[in-house]
Amino acid sequence: MTFNFEITVDTIVQIIGFAFAIIGIWFTYKQMKETSRVNRVKFIYDLTNDLFSDNKVREFFYKIDYEKFEFRLDEKKIDKFKGSDEERWLDAILYRYDVIGRMVRTNTIPLNDIEYVLFEIIQVYKNKDVINYLKWLDGEFAIHGKLGKNKRKRAHDDFRWLAEKIQKNRLIVL
């Protein structure tokens, strides 16, 4: 068996082409990584802006935080609550936190990227009247919320999952 160690112009062109391909792949990887980082930063900026720019929702958060929000599992009070500003504001908070929970749950954003809102998430999650509202929603959800193959067992499941994860991992000590 003999080997031909002769270097031809074709061989040099192939080696140079291969080197350029490797360099191109490396630059593409670096660019994709940077784009991903920039998109995460933009998402977090937009999320922060969304969470803090609506003054009515922000005021309502403080009402929850300072235990001044009330939701009782009483049909007359529930009927009065339905369609109220407080229901809209609470739902706005819960849906925003649900989106954050979904993003963390699907590994779209790491938990440490949203650490500035973890305290707020726990404050909402541990509020006794928010818990009552979630219990009531669970009952409603059991009746109306199970559609298709993705049958969630409870309302605002991603928000609750995230809050439970924060508590379980003791990311916030209260």
Side-chain angles (χ1 to χ4, degrees), residues 116-171:
Y116 65 96
V117 293
L118 299 183
F119 174 77
E120 290 182 344
I121 289 170
I122 290 299
Q123 288 302 94
V124 171
Y125 181 72
K126 73 176 189 151
N127 180 283
K128 65 182 177 0
D129 291 294
V130 171
I131 292 168
N132 284 339
Y133 180 67
L134 290 170
K135 284 179 187 174
W136 175 72
L137 279 182
D138 286 343
E140 294 292 301
F141 203 80
I143 297 167
H144 307 291
K146 296 181 178 182
L147 301 173
K149 293 180 182 177
N150 294 326
K151 295 179 181 176
R152 298 184 306 174
K153 294 183 169 96
R154 54 190 189 165
H156 297 291
D157 190 52
D158 291 317
F159 156 67
R160 290 160 119 176
W161 171 86
L162 179 58
E164 290 158 2
K165 180 179 178 70
I166 294 165
Q167 285 184 325
K168 180 182 171 191
N169 293 329
R170 299 181 187 263
L171 298 174

Side-chain angles (χ1 to χ4, degrees), residues 1 4 7 15 34 36 44 60 67 77 86 102 162:
M1 181 187 285
N4 184 358
I7 297 178
I15 291 170
E34 179 63 15
S36 174
I44 290 164
F60 186 70
E67 305 277 338
K77 292 192 181 208
E86 285 194 344
R102 171 56 62 178
L162 179 58

Side-chain angles (χ1 to χ4, degrees), residues 12-76:
I12 293 171
V13 169
Q14 287 176 348
I15 291 170
I16 292 171
F18 182 72
F20 277 124
I22 295 295
I23 292 168
I25 290 170
W26 182 78
F27 276 120
T28 300
Y29 167 77
K30 295 293 274 179
Q31 186 62 43
M32 288 174 63
K33 192 173 176 181
E34 179 63 15
T35 300
S36 174
R37 187 188 70 73
V38 167
N39 285 341
R40 261 196 355 255
V41 168
K42 182 173 178 1
F43 169 78
I44 290 164
Y45 171 79
D46 290 344
L47 175 67
T48 304
N49 194 35
D50 185 47
L51 286 171
F52 296 100
S53 66
D54 188 334
N55 286 336
K56 293 291 185 183
V57 172
R58 196 82 198 132
E59 286 174 23
F60 186 70
F61 166 78
Y62 289 119
K63 194 171 182 178
I64 292 170
D65 189 27
Y66 299 136
E67 305 277 338
K68 294 183 179 181
F69 163 65
E70 289 185 9
F71 181 86
R72 301 289 179 252
L73 294 171
D74 172 284
E75 283 304 315
K76 287 181 183 178

